[in-house]
Amino acid sequence: MVKKRLERFISHRLDQVPIASVYVKSRGWYFVIAWAHRLCGILMVLFASVHIYTLSFLSTPALYDAKIKFFGLAPFAFLSWMLAIPVIFHALNGGRLILYEMFGSRNDNSMTRWVFSLSIAFVFLQGLLMMLWSRSVSMLFFWLVAATINSSLACIVISKSWKATGSIFWKFHRITGSFLLIMVPAHLMLMHLQPGISQEAAMVIARIQNPFIKWIDLGMLFAMLYHGGYGLISITGDYIESKVLQNGLAALIFLTMAAFGWIGTRLAIMI
Amino acid sequence: MASHYHITLKIRRYDPENRRSWIQNYHLEAGRILRFVDLFRKINNEQDPTFSWNSSCEHGQCGTCSVKINGKPLLACELLVENAVQYFNTPVFNVEPLEVAPVVRDLVFDLTKAYKRIDQVKPYVISPANPPSDQDEYSISPNEMKQYINATRCINCFCCSSACISSHRNFLGPNAMLASMIRVLDPREKEKAQRLKILYGHRGVYRCHSSRACSFVCPKEIDVAHFVALAKAGRFNDPNNE
Amino acid sequence: MNNRLRITATLHCDLLIIGSGGAGLRCAANVLDKRPETRVIALTKNAHPQKSHTSTAQGGLAAVDPGDPEDKTIYHMFDTWKGSDCTADQDVIKKICDSSWEQILWLENRGMHFSRNPKGKLSKRTFGGHTLNFGETSAYRAVFEADRTGKGMMDTCWGESLKRNISFLNQSIGTELLFKAGRCVGCLVFKLKEGEFIRIFSGATVLATGGSGQVFKITTNCRQNTGDGPAVALQAGLPMMDPEAIQFHPTGMIGPGILASETLRSVGGILRNKDMEPFMAHYAPRMKELAPRDLVARAIASEIRKKRGILSSDHKVEHVWIDLRHLPDAVHEQQIPEVSGFFKKFLNLDPKSELCPVHPSSHYQMGGISTNAFGEAQDHLQRRVPGLFAIGECAAASLHGFNRLGTNSLLELITMGKFVGNKVLAYLDHLSKEPTATVDFISFDRFSQYLEARGKNKIGQIRIDMQELMTENVGVFRTEEGLSKTIDALRELKDRADQTALGCKSLRMNQELLQRWELDNLLTVSMAISQAALNRRESRGAHFRDDFPERDDAFNHHTIVIMGSFNKVEIKKREIDMSIFKAKDQHFEKFDFIERAY
Ligand SMILES: Cc1cc2nc3c(=O)[nH]c(=O)nc-3n(C[C@H](O)[C@H](O)[C@H](O)COP(=O)(O)OP(=O)(O)OC[C@H]3O[C@@H](n4cnc5c(N)ncnc54)[C@H](O)[C@@H]3O)c2cc1C
Ligand code: HEM
Ligand code: HEM
Ligand code: SF4
Ligand code: F3S
Ligand code: FES
């Protein structure tokens, strides 16, 4: 009863969001969600580029410390908290899409509700942790758990798509998506557990020197670059009619991703 | 419910002679269960005979009368004034042609061009399997048919295509996907390889992002997105590959 | 003459199909199947062939399954003969019924999605007027695709033609047949989107333009069914046969007249009057709701005339109810989902719990361009017109006589489509070479007259007036007085039509110009119908004269109408083919002029 009322209240409010409501009436909620998913995806690609660029300063720790101070400022702290919104929404919704498309879960209204509820919970949890700002965790243990769970998820998706007809690139996009499903939100949350965990070059370098974490980072890096790159190419495929222009753009995106891959790998290996 | 409504239609018009496009307002007095095609006819008969629109069966069976009303692609012959006022919560309606193909005049768009995409997926049995005997029909169990029978209900109104998040440039369209899927699942079709190639090609299912606007607007209430997702899940037994 | 009108291209082809409905495309598919190199052009007035009226047929397609232990082709032939009120041609009946199952298999093998029984074979349902053992019990004879049989057929015929490289010209109207030395050599075509005339020279030309339901105010027919084919034929001096035979579907939904399929009655829907009485028992004690259409239509009209109808406040029309409330949910959801959904969609009411308002709605034109049993067009002396064929609803061969049985029309499309295809091929074989010479035509004169006419009349209003007039006087019940009045009034309407200025003078996609042309065709066909109805002083099948309520043997013939001009109508006769009766085979006595009681 309460749940119903709450839902009605929320959907009523949502119906009044100016632009969205027009689309909800004319194309339905999933259309709006698909746009949100797309925008979050693009936003993350942009963030990731900046991210890897800043991380590249780690090769001169002093420079990194100097530069990164800047991001410690209040408005940036707020922004880095807000980053949780696109990350978690895209991740969970991506998970839902994988279930919908590959696992035949077609009546996924309740899934959608979970996506929204968990996203909100995650964002608040992260905010809370950011404020507590002092818990110490065993990095290794944390990653072990996250990586194990996530690899099994990815394995399920791999086994599901192995024999299916269809494009291998597309399947790999879903596989990398499922691999990032927990890794990225976990990474994000972890990076906000302690002061200095990401803002002191020494601490970061010490961490990356652990071979296990190094592999985790590299795995995440390549999964993300492939996934984001394919995503962008797929978007150009929707809009660009000229085959030549489209191939050109695809090559450009590929090269950009490869460059970031190179920067990221060099970083992880050199340290 | 009121028995009469004062309706305003803001219709996007287009004159091919001088390529001029403009919005024209028509004010109408309409009974509650008149349909939008009735309103259009009323405009022709009482106010403006030059206004052009398209329809054929006028009972939701042919998919000729598709228009966008307040942004939603739908069949004008199925939309009752009463339901429209209630759904959009206004008696003022923006009426536009679908943008899936060039507009010919006013609300009439070039369905022939829109259909080019359907033609590309070969909406027929390319290579029929041999029937059990010359004088016999195939036997197809109702269960087997159930998998795809809903897709055969599509009337190619192009509403889904118009609503889809993937622009109208490269995607063959949700309805073309349906037409293709039917024969992928139909046991009478032998030629699956060619179909899968189109289905998974550059203009095929991967242009879909599961926005499910197709299922949302489909006047035949076909869960189009389900079929497109079936193709993505890709668990067909392909006799040519085995 | 309007100097913007010009012929922008001349095309040549072997076969020109005017009208890409089920009939036209079945014919095309057959020709292309047998001889893939044939150049076929198919015109449609609709935006696309799939939008043709055939797509909206719901109920089914009659055919006797040779594997059926009970049903026999002879029963089907008998039902058709009896249903036609003994006015169909028996050679046609025999040809069509004999090849029916083969044609069902053609459709099935080419991918039509017929509904199946649990064994995976084609399911069959009963339909009004189809019986076993000469009227004993209802026959399960109609194969179907849920409630979209016509759509399945249209999709299949379209797909098969598309596969074999037909050229479609959509939104293009055939305005005038071209003749050279008495042979039809093609057609003048107006392309609506481009606003251009083109000339198509063809070896053979097939008219398949469908029905003319728009003559009436309340019709199940689509917007394009304006009787163009018969009008074009009449204009070329060719005869129209049995125009007065017009079927009214008993259960059109009030308002737009949308058809509430016969299926509603075959699954158990009950007709009730104002007092909730199931009145069909008075009119057809045995068949009740399943009696043939004209009987049911007249029963409903009689109830309404006897003040036992209900007045709809929305549409100001009197109607009766069809009661579907007692049917189990499963029937609503599985057997009649689309039709029962219509009531929800178009009238905002729920047939599971509410009564549904219905009244007779003009549905099918049994008559049409006169042809022989092979679909070859004939002149008024029954001589073949070389190069011209006609099939489908626009033609009369005649399978349906004065009353069509449900599901027989779709059957006619595919069988006659095939026969005509064969004839076309044979005809093309004997054809020497392509016509190149110029031919005369009058379409420019007509179109420039439309464009230049002056006057304040409105096409829409004239059409409405005509439809009301026809519905009132030439509908389910007809009288001498009403018919004479109508004929005078039609002449007046024609004058008014000629004094109508178009608001839009553009040629491109000028809907008004099209409607002006259609109005002329509608008036022409209305005139043919009214004159023929006036002439036939008896009641037969769907043609019911209040002043002559009985069938009269003196009228045991077809009506042939020729129109020298709009005001000059000549009526002639054509004998009914009695070949089955004359062959004196088993059961021949059933094919005499028997009484039509159910
Ligand atoms: C609602 C409804 C339900 C029905 N259900 C059944 C049923 O269950 N069983 C059954 O047997 N029958 C049924 N019928 C009857 C049957 O559907 C029609 O008789 C049949 O479809 C006619 O087919 P056709 O090919 O002759 O013409 P149509 O399908 O009407 O096609 C005519 C074609 O000609 C084109 N055309 C028209 N004029 C011109 C022109 N001037 N120039 C160029 N092209 C032109 C049109 O665009 C169209 O493409 C039903 C009819 C209706 C109205
Ligand atoms: C965290 C786990 C993630 C999951 C489960 C996931 C899942 C998905 C899925 C299923 C899609 C397909 C949507 C479609 O149908 O087009 C998608 C698209 C996309 N993703 Fe992710 N993704 C994740 C993370 C990321 C990250 C980290 C990035 C950025 C680097 C990213 C960028 C994109 C982009 C750009 C698209 C294309 C969007 C579109 O085509 O509309 N995703 N993702
Ligand atoms: C504001 C929040 C974030 C902070 C503070 C942060 C910080 C860091 C740090 C310090 C590293 C170095 C490696 C390590 O410490 O393990 C790192 C690596 C990485 N981060 Fe983040 N991160 C954030 C958000 C994200 C997000 C949202 C993504 C995904 C889109 C992401 C993707 C990566 C990847 C792929 C690496 C590995 C790079 C490499 O190995 O070259 N990060 N991040
Ligand atoms: S799937 Fe539905 S919306 Fe799309 S064309 Fe077919 S009927 Fe129309
Ligand atoms: S609307 Fe378009 S995005 Fe996919 S689910 Fe339907 S095809
Ligand atoms: S006119 Fe046929 S669907 Fe509307």
Side-chain angles (χ1 to χ4, degrees):
Chain A
M1 204 36 220
V2 177
K3 199 179 139 207
K4 272 251 168 68
R5 260 219 228 131
L6 186 73
E7 231 166 65
R8 205 171 317 140
F9 175 79
I10 293 175
S11 71
H12 189 70
R13 280 296 108 98
L14 285 173
D15 273 355
Q16 289 169 346
V17 182
I19 299 169
S21 71
V22 173
Y23 285 103
V24 170
K25 279 267 170 202
S26 63
R27 314 281 158 97
W29 265 112
Y30 288 104
F31 181 84
V32 178
I33 291 176
W35 264 114
H37 187 83
R38 173 169 277 189
L39 294 176
C40 294
I42 296 173
L43 207 73
M44 274 200 285
V45 175
L46 296 179
F47 170 81
S49 323
V50 178
H51 188 37
I52 293 173
Y53 173 72
T54 28
L55 285 179
S56 70
F57 295 122
L58 275 174
S59 47
T60 14
L63 190 64
Y64 181 82
D65 282 341
K67 290 253 174 187
I68 214 77
K69 278 233 163 60
F70 187 63
F71 290 99
L73 299 172
F76 281 99
F78 180 74
L79 280 184
S80 86
W81 177 40
M82 282 295 110
L83 183 65
I85 296 177
V87 171
I88 193 66
F89 174 75
H90 185 97
L92 292 178
N93 190 53
R96 177 186 69 82
L97 286 174
I98 290 171
L99 284 178
Y100 180 86
E101 290 173 348
M102 307 178 75
F103 291 82
S105 115
R106 299 288 144 74
N107 293 318
D108 62 347
N109 287 344
S110 65
M111 272 308 287
T112 313
R113 272 177 232 131
W114 279 108
V115 168
F116 280 103
S117 323
L118 286 179
S119 297
I120 293 167
F122 180 91
V123 173
F124 279 100
L125 187 66
Q126 180 173 330
L128 197 70
L129 290 176
M130 282 170 83
M131 282 191 285
L132 292 177
W133 209 233
S134 72
R135 298 277 309 281
S136 62
V137 279
S138 154
M139 201 56 50
L140 222 55
F141 176 72
F142 184 93
W143 275 126
L144 206 60
V145 175
T148 319
I149 299 178
N150 219 334
S151 306
S152 2
L153 281 187
C155 284
I156 298 174
V157 175
I158 291 171
S159 73
K160 188 82 186 174
S161 56
W162 198 248
K163 272 212 193 130
T165 35
S167 145
I168 177 101
F169 298 109
W170 180 85
K171 286 186 209 163
F172 202 56
H173 179 248
R174 294 326 196 237
I175 293 166
T176 48
S178 68
F179 177 70
L180 295 168
L181 178 57
I182 290 179
M183 299 303 265
V184 170
H187 169 75
L188 186 62
M189 184 153 285
L190 199 77
M191 288 307 153
H192 294 94
L193 288 184
Q194 284 171 358
I197 199 167
S198 63
Q199 282 156 5
E200 284 166 27
M203 211 161 162
V204 175
I205 288 170
R207 191 165 56 235
I208 301 185
Q209 266 159 357
N210 179 310
F212 176 64
I213 290 182
K214 201 185 287 274
W215 279 112
I216 294 274
D217 277 348
L218 279 176
M220 209 162 59
L221 173 74
F222 283 105
M224 187 196 78
L225 289 175
Y226 176 82
H227 182 93
Y230 180 94
L232 292 188
I233 292 174
S234 149
I235 295 174
T236 62
D238 286 359
Y239 290 95
I240 291 164
E241 272 166 289
S242 146
K243 196 77 193 145
V244 179
L245 186 58
Q246 219 231 306
N247 286 343
L249 272 175
L252 190 70
I253 293 171
F254 178 80
L255 288 178
T256 318
M257 292 301 158
F260 280 116
W262 166 244
I263 301 175
T265 315
R266 198 180 51 177
L267 174 86
I269 291 173
M270 301 255 285
I271 289 172
Chain B
M1 277 279 135
S3 68
H4 267 78
Y5 292 88
H6 300 278
I7 300 283
T8 304
L9 297 186
K10 293 170 172 282
I11 299 183
R12 170 160 298 281
R13 305 209 42 193
Y14 172 73
D15 182 355
E17 293 293 343
N18 47 23
R19 305 196 173 180
R20 196 166 72 94
S21 176
W22 72 102
I23 307 273
Q24 192 157 339
N25 294 352
Y26 297 97
H27 302 281
L28 296 161
E29 188 75 21
R32 70 181 187 98
I33 55 176
L34 283 194
R35 304 161 301 158
F36 270 59
V37 282
D38 296 326
L39 299 185
F40 297 162
R41 206 178 343 264
K42 218 166 135 76
I43 291 176
N44 279 164
N45 289 347
E46 294 166 13
Q47 303 185 22
D48 181 358
T50 70
F51 158 57
S52 296
W53 50 286
N54 219 348
S55 79
S56 174
C57 68
E58 302 205 353
H59 56 284
Q61 298 280 72
C62 75
T64 308
C65 61
S66 335
V67 286
K68 281 202 297 180
I69 307 280
N70 287 353
K72 186 177 186 204
L74 43 75
L75 299 179
C77 69
E78 262 188 16
L79 183 66
L80 304 186
V81 166
E82 177 174 73
N83 294 350
V85 171
Q86 201 177 7
Y87 184 81
F88 292 108
N89 204 10
T90 164
V92 181
F93 303 99
N94 299 315
V95 185
E96 297 159 285
L98 300 196
E99 65 293 69
V100 293
V103 174
V104 184
R105 179 187 285 277
D106 299 343
L107 299 182
V108 182
F109 62 97
D110 198 337
L111 262 168
T112 307
K113 292 202 175 120
Y115 259 98
K116 287 263 144 60
R117 295 168 181 220
I118 309 297
D119 296 354
Q120 281 178 33
V121 301
K122 314 204 169 181
Y124 41 78
V125 180
I126 299 175
S127 162
N130 285 330
S133 79
D134 241 8
Q135 287 303 306
D136 210 355
E137 73 257 37
Y138 294 88
S139 65
I140 307 177
S141 76
N143 261 342
E144 202 171 357
M145 273 181 93
K146 227 194 210 145
Q147 287 183 44
Y148 61 88
I149 203 69
N150 254 329
T152 69
R153 293 172 50 242
C154 168
I155 55 174
N156 285 324
C157 66
F158 290 90
C159 287
C160 51
S161 215
S162 156
C164 178
I165 193 173
S166 182
S167 73
H168 318 289
R169 304 206 180 138
N170 291 336
F171 190 21
L172 290 171
N175 47 344
M177 295 299 105
L178 285 188
S180 182
M181 287 292 293
I182 292 169
R183 299 307 180 188
V184 170
L185 296 169
D186 187 338
R188 288 169 295 187
E189 170 71 286
K190 269 197 308 189
E191 180 53 73
K192 309 275 187 200
Q194 210 186 110
R195 298 208 168 275
L196 295 179
K197 207 170 152 208
I198 303 171
L199 202 58
Y200 294 123
H202 172 63
R203 293 155 65 88
V205 282
Y206 297 135
R207 297 271 69 77
C208 159
H209 305 281
S210 297
S211 75
R212 283 150 85 180
C214 45
S215 304
F216 181 77
V217 298
C218 177
K220 289 282 154 196
E221 289 165 18
I222 302 166
D223 191 353
V224 193
H226 157 76
F227 286 97
V228 187
L230 265 190
K232 288 186 189 164
R235 331 223 93 237
F236 310 122
N237 37 6
D238 174 1
N240 300 304
N241 281 354
E242 270 164 19
Chain C
M1 191 183 297
N2 195 300
N3 54 16
R4 286 177 304 154
L5 295 172
R6 60 171 62 89
I7 288 180
T8 55
T10 301
L11 304 180
H12 292 267
C13 65
D14 300 315
L15 170 61
L16 170 65
I17 303 221
I18 306 175
S20 316
L25 293 189
R26 173 66 188 98
C27 172
N30 184 33
V31 167
L32 289 167
D33 220 0
K34 298 225 166 80
R35 207 174 295 161
E37 71 280 5
T38 319
R39 295 164 303 164
V40 183
I41 298 182
L43 307 180
T44 168
K45 183 157 78 166
N46 290 70
H48 186 270
Q50 259 193 330
K51 311 305 188 200
S52 293
H53 185 60
T54 299
S55 290
T56 65
Q58 301 160 351
L61 179 53
V64 176
D65 180 351
D68 187 325
E70 292 180 329
D71 205 358
K72 291 194 188 132
T73 306
I74 188 93
Y75 302 154
H76 186 192
M77 299 202 273
F78 168 77
D79 292 335
T80 308
W81 170 248
K82 183 177 168 192
S84 78
D85 214 353
C86 309
T87 322
D89 284 330
Q90 295 185 350
D91 50 349
V92 179
I93 295 187
K94 184 157 171 36
K95 270 181 73 184
I96 290 183
C97 292
D98 274 344
S99 71
S100 60
W101 192 254
E102 174 202 308
Q103 289 308 302
I104 303 292
L105 290 180
W106 183 84
L107 285 171
E108 200 282 335
N109 291 343
R110 309 281 156 144
M112 181 165 164
H113 308 282
F114 283 109
S115 296
R116 311 271 165 167
N117 61 24
K119 285 202 205 109
K121 294 293 180 184
L122 306 188
S123 310
K124 295 172 198 125
R125 53 164 73 135
T126 56
F127 244 90
H130 288 282
T131 66
L132 291 178
N133 223 349
F134 308 108
E136 234 163 55
T137 47
S138 303
Y140 284 80
R141 187 180 290 152
V143 292
F144 58 98
E145 178 176 332
D147 40 18
R148 43 179 188 279
T149 313
K151 172 178 157 32
M153 214 177 103
M154 192 68 238
D155 291 0
T156 310
C157 292
W158 167 62
E160 285 299 305
S161 326
L162 183 72
K163 181 167 153 183
R164 293 175 168 76
N165 286 328
I166 191 171
S167 328
F168 286 115
L169 286 180
N170 300 338
Q171 282 172 294
S172 300
I173 50 175
T175 58
E176 185 181 355
L177 295 170
L178 302 175
F179 289 90
K180 183 98 194 173
R183 176 169 98 77
C184 179
V185 293
C187 185
L188 203 62
V189 174
F190 185 63
K191 294 188 358 186
L192 295 167
K193 279 183 289 192
E194 294 81 2
E196 293 168 353
F197 273 99
I198 59 171
R199 185 170 35 192
I200 303 183
F201 284 125
S202 57
T205 304
V206 175
L207 279 163
T209 58
S212 57
Q214 290 296 336
V215 160
F216 296 91
K217 186 177 176 200
I218 294 146
T219 177
T220 59
N221 280 203
C222 76
R223 190 180 173 203
Q224 280 75 11
N225 281 358
T226 51
D228 300 352
V232 162
L234 284 168
Q235 174 194 311
L238 298 173
M240 186 174 178
M241 188 161 89
D242 298 338
E244 72 273 36
I246 296 204
Q247 183 170 68
F248 289 84
H249 196 282
T251 53
M253 285 170 44
I254 63 144
I258 293 166
L259 179 132
S261 160
E262 203 134 14
T263 323
L264 292 187
R265 284 178 288 131
S266 72
V267 297
I270 297 172
L271 289 165
R272 296 181 188 280
N273 59 20
K274 184 168 78 179
D275 311 319
M276 296 309 286
E277 194 189 353
F279 59 82
M280 276 316 294
H282 302 317
Y283 299 88
R286 224 155 9 116
M287 301 290 287
K288 295 203 181 80
E289 268 71 12
L290 292 180
R293 298 191 163 151
D294 61 319
L295 274 179
V296 181
R298 270 201 304 281
I300 295 175
S302 299
E303 287 296 305
I304 291 171
R305 287 216 298 193
K306 288 176 194 153
K307 299 281 172 245
R308 292 203 285 263
I310 306 97
L311 184 73
S312 141
S313 57
D314 277 311
H315 293 279
K316 315 271 181 281
V317 184
E318 276 190 294
H319 61 83
V320 297
W321 301 116
I322 185 157
D323 189 352
L324 305 167
R325 296 173 300 179
H326 57 288
L327 301 177
D329 283 359
V331 172
H332 278 280
E333 277 145 29
Q334 282 153 30
Q335 283 177 274
I336 50 169
E338 301 202 1
V339 193
S340 138
F342 278 165
F343 286 106
K344 240 178 242 160
K345 238 179 232 160
F346 297 105
L347 298 177
N348 259 358
L349 58 75
D350 178 10
K352 282 187 195 167
S353 60
E354 287 169 276
L355 291 164
C356 304
V358 291
H359 72 150
S361 177
S362 123
H363 185 49
Y364 188 85
Q365 162 203 307
M366 269 76 70
I369 302 159
S370 170
T371 75
N372 64 15
F374 300 94
E376 296 167 306
Q378 296 183 325
D379 67 7
H380 63 280
L381 298 172
Q382 273 133 269
R383 290 173 307 202
R384 224 158 44 86
V385 180
L388 186 64
F389 303 80
I391 31 171
E393 196 172 335
C394 73
S398 110
L399 173 68
H400 311 299
F402 265 61
N403 178 54
R404 171 183 74 108
L405 292 189
T407 68
N408 260 358
S409 158
L410 291 182
L411 177 64
E412 186 193 4
L413 307 187
I414 47 166
T415 45
M416 287 304 284
K418 189 198 136 183
F419 297 147
V420 166
N422 293 345
K423 273 282 162 197
V424 163
L425 285 173
Y427 178 79
L428 289 177
D429 279 342
H430 295 288
L431 209 59
S432 45
K433 66 181 205 314
E434 286 178 354
T436 45
T438 49
V439 284
D440 297 330
F441 53 86
I442 55 165
S443 286
F444 278 14
D445 292 340
R446 272 178 86 184
F447 275 67
S448 50
Q449 200 189 324
Y450 297 153
L451 288 165
E452 276 148 23
R454 283 159 208 270
K456 286 213 189 62
N457 292 311
K458 289 260 179 298
I459 297 171
Q461 196 52 50
I462 301 174
R463 194 181 52 226
I464 292 174
D465 290 350
M466 178 205 75
Q467 289 171 332
E468 277 175 358
L469 183 73
M470 292 297 288
T471 307
E472 174 78 25
N473 299 318
V474 199
V476 178
F477 292 109
R478 299 161 176 180
T479 63
E480 188 91 26
E481 192 199 341
L483 290 167
S484 318
K485 213 174 71 188
T486 303
I487 290 165
D488 293 337
L490 284 174
R491 293 197 177 118
E492 255 166 61
L493 287 173
K494 173 80 179 161
D495 288 340
R496 266 170 67 195
D498 288 338
Q499 290 158 30
T500 302
L502 300 187
C504 177
K505 308 271 186 203
S506 160
L507 291 174
R508 276 193 231 176
M509 198 58 233
N510 185 343
Q511 182 184 281
E512 216 185 343
L513 180 62
L514 171 66
Q515 283 172 351
R516 175 66 189 87
W517 182 71
E518 287 177 341
L519 180 62
D520 262 3
N521 296 339
L522 286 169
L523 287 168
T524 303
V525 174
S526 299
M527 184 55 109
I529 297 171
S530 310
Q531 294 275 17
L534 180 66
N535 181 64
R536 191 172 277 276
R537 298 158 150 252
E538 61 151 1
S539 291
R540 179 180 294 259
H543 167 72
F544 192 83
R545 286 279 299 254
D546 247 351
D547 35 5
F548 302 94
E550 299 298 326
R551 193 173 81 191
D552 180 351
D553 283 343
F555 286 97
N556 280 346
H557 57 73
H558 295 290
T559 308
I560 293 285
V561 175
I562 332 168
M563 273 170 96
S565 71
F566 191 74
N567 293 325
K568 190 165 156 275
V569 176
E570 256 180 281
I571 306 241
K572 298 196 174 336
K573 297 175 189 174
R574 180 174 127 184
E575 216 179 306
I576 296 168
D577 182 279
M578 301 284 284
S579 48
I580 304 180
F581 178 70
K582 285 183 189 147
K584 300 274 185 245
D585 287 340
Q586 211 191 355
H587 301 303
F588 79 95
E589 73 287 352
K590 305 276 184 196
F591 292 85
D592 201 354
F593 288 100
I594 52 174
E595 197 200 346
R596 183 163 162 268
Y598 288 89

